[in-house]
Amino acid sequence: MIAYFFAFVWGILILLSLIGWGGLINRLFFPEDRVDWGLLAIWGLAFTIFLGGLLNITWMISNTVIVIYLGIGILYWFFAAFQRQNLWIHSIYDNWQWEWME
């Protein structure tokens, strides 16, 4: 039973990392566009396939590199999620303040 839970958590972490890498691509190439998590995950997957191929061709791929890569993606996802949360909280606060004044 523990093995299933570990596999589930590992799959979620991989998904969050892909979304994080897609968010970085979104920020670099399309900073004015906001896209959903599905498209971010696809962009992250495409970038991961590209970078994984390059690392494989140059013999630089290893378990450590993969874990570091996933960790960077997860960290960027946390950073972006925290930023979105602050924007969301501020927009609710501003909207509530505006309605209170009327």
Side-chain angles (χ1 to χ4, degrees), residues 75-94:
L75 285 176
Y76 187 79
W77 178 82
F78 274 122
F79 169 73
F82 182 73
Q83 243 183 354
R84 277 191 303 273
Q85 178 187 13
N86 282 341
L87 290 174
W88 185 71
I89 289 172
H90 288 304
S91 68
I92 288 176
Y93 178 73
D94 291 342

Side-chain angles (χ1 to χ4, degrees), residues 43-57:
W43 286 348
L45 181 62
F47 179 71
T48 300
I49 291 170
F50 172 74
L51 186 65
L54 285 179
L55 290 173
N56 193 24
I57 288 173

Side-chain angles (χ1 to χ4, degrees), residues 59-87:
W59 296 79
M60 294 173 55
I61 196 76
S62 69
N63 292 340
T64 306
V65 171
I66 292 170
V67 170
I68 290 171
Y69 178 79
L70 290 174
I72 291 170
I74 292 169
L75 285 176
Y76 187 79
W77 178 82
F78 274 122
F79 169 73
F82 182 73
Q83 243 183 354
R84 277 191 303 273
Q85 178 187 13
N86 282 341
L87 290 174

Side-chain angles (χ1 to χ4, degrees), residues 3-63:
Y4 291 119
F5 179 72
F6 180 72
F8 174 75
V9 170
W10 184 246
I12 295 297
L13 290 176
I14 290 172
L15 180 62
L16 294 179
S17 177
L18 292 175
I19 293 169
W21 282 107
L24 186 62
I25 290 170
N26 185 25
R27 179 171 283 215
L28 291 176
F29 296 110
F30 312 105
E32 66 280 349
D33 295 334
R34 290 191 61 191
V35 296
D36 63 349
W37 283 17
L39 187 57
L40 293 178
I42 294 297
W43 286 348
L45 181 62
F47 179 71
T48 300
I49 291 170
F50 172 74
L51 186 65
L54 285 179
L55 290 173
N56 193 24
I57 288 173
T58 59
W59 296 79
M60 294 173 55
I61 196 76
S62 69
N63 292 340

